[in-house]
Amino acid sequence: MQSQDLQHFIDHGHQVYLPHVSIDCAVFGFHENELKILLLKWKHLNGWSLPGGYILRTEHADVAAHRLLKQRTGLDQVFLQQYHTFSGPGRNKIQDSSRAIETNYHVVIPEDNWLKERVVSIGYYALVEYSKVTNPQPDALTETCAWCDIHELPTLLFDHQEMISEALKALRAQLIHHPVGLNLLPKEFTMLELQRLYETILDTTLDRANFRKKLLGLKILKKTGERPSGKAHKTPHLYSFDKRQYAKALKNGISFS
Amino acid sequence: MQSQDLQHFIDHGHQVYLPHVSIDCAVFGFHENELKILLLKWKHLNGWSLPGGYILRTEHADVAAHRLLKQRTGLDQVFLQQYHTFSGPGRNKIQDSSRAIETNYHVVIPEDNWLKERVVSIGYYALVEYSKVTNPQPDALTETCAWCDIHELPTLLFDHQEMISEALKALRAQLIHHPVGLNLLPKEFTMLELQRLYETILDTTLDRANFRKKLLGLKILKKTGERPSGKAHKTPHLYSFDKRQYAKALKNGISFS
DNA sequence: TCAAAAGTGTTCAATGTACACCCATGC
DNA sequence: GCATGGGTGTACATTGAACACTTTTGA
């Protein structure tokens, strides 16, 4: 960001963005049998945070979340779900993040500036295909945007540790009533890969035979006909999601106990 | 509200309250086998709304919701659940409600006043015991606060029709995984009353014998020993909730299919 | 031919569903 | 007695969980 743009953002940002409200997104991906989450390493603070930002004055929060994710991942059409709004008055994001701006740009933000006021944050979680996020982009105040293993999280800033826990809870609850996978897996996948995804999210192990029967019973999968060859052992079938049936299952709900 | 208080609220309310964020509560009660919701009839607008209000600058949204409900119902310790945040930029609450202030108090609110800016609203639903809300209080801009049957809703202002639909959806989802009733029924009740509550919320009919078995199987009920006499036919047992077991069930979840 | 992974089948228990039957009470 | 609602039992279907068996492939 240029310094004159920055000054404009500090002085007039509240005319463009809705003050006191922000968005934070927990972006989940699946890679090598591990659930990953997209995090940003801050430049002048000792820790990482979820990607987030402000809502435009005339913008729906859902649209803002999509816009912000597009900036970080380059992806459109991401599966996004609002799950909770965090309103603790003690959330010290404001102080910390405006301090980061001051340090980074060598400016002083007045105490009564909109960037130093309390913010309520709307939490979203997103499910994306890991391999499609090849080059996640940090923003002006962060130096790195990277996937982190959900079991090996770095130091998190603000209340983002809680945000991630709650997002995981919401994702697990969602998994029981709605199919998950279309957004996390590549177009074609094996039954075992799908099972590993479920096992990872639910943090448990599942019976291979029963998982197969249950998923096929949902009628949301179709065989692609192709089989990956060249590998050792019996080659598994490849499946893809039947988009029509998947959408129906999303709408009406399923039961994955 | 006195006119000088009002002028202070218009001019300086943004220093006390967090602007751009509000709270709306869908308060549910159960009476005569019908699910009721608490609504406010506005003075200068043709319609009703949910009770709501602003969050204090230093206040958690959950606390604000409790405070607002106490003002309307007189009740403390209400069961409250955040369920969704409504952020449509087209929510015309702002225009309408500030217009109501202008009409009611014969004042003019400047166009750039905080009361005319866009508001994002955090939606809560509450479950209360109908009989404990004996005299619900309207606020300064409303003339009536009353219970309305969920199946016979009056004209609703703003986006509150959607808020109620979503609150009902959330309540139904909650019902499947967590016990509901402690907050909606009187201390002692019959099995049939409990069944009617479930039937009303889920909008279905349930088998009497199976409902009984399932609920007793949850181990959250205990017989009070007493039986209401004087009525016709066989007198039913009275039950109450086992608070300890109920709390455990709330925390760990149950399965009511 | 053997190990490893995929695919299928079978058994048993738990749960859900439908419904029948008896019991208690006031008229 | 009998209508009405409360309380209980049973039979059957559906589902879930555990696990054994067969098939296919590459080494």
Side-chain angles (χ1 to χ4, degrees), chain A residues 136-178:
Chain A
Q137 295 296 316
D139 58 29
L141 293 172
T142 54
E143 59 187 35
T144 317
C145 183
W147 288 108
C148 296
D149 194 300
I150 206 76
H151 290 110
E152 296 166 12
L153 291 176
T155 305
L156 288 158
L157 297 166
F158 325 131
D159 53 354
H160 288 200
Q161 175 69 59
E162 184 194 355
M163 285 188 175
I164 293 175
S165 314
E166 291 298 316
L168 266 173
K169 271 193 211 166
L171 174 57
R172 282 181 189 135
Q174 157 109 349
L175 189 63
I176 296 173
H177 296 291
H178 301 278

Side-chain angles (χ1 to χ4, degrees), chain B residues 144-184:
Chain B
T144 316
C145 183
W147 289 108
C148 297
D149 194 299
I150 207 77
H151 291 108
E152 295 165 14
L153 291 176
T155 306
L156 288 157
L157 297 167
F158 325 132
D159 54 354
H160 288 201
Q161 175 69 60
E162 184 194 355
M163 285 188 177
I164 293 175
S165 315
E166 291 298 316
L168 266 173
K169 270 192 212 166
L171 174 57
R172 285 185 186 130
Q174 156 109 349
L175 190 61
I176 295 173
H177 297 291
H178 301 279
V180 161
L182 177 56
N183 316 283
L184 283 164

Side-chain angles (χ1 to χ4, degrees), chain A residues 206-222:
Chain A
L206 299 166
D207 182 275
R208 192 170 54 87
N210 295 332
F211 179 83
R212 173 185 198 75
K213 273 179 278 187
K214 189 175 301 188
L215 266 288
L216 290 177
L218 296 177
K219 310 274 186 197
I220 56 174
L221 295 175
K222 54 182 182 190

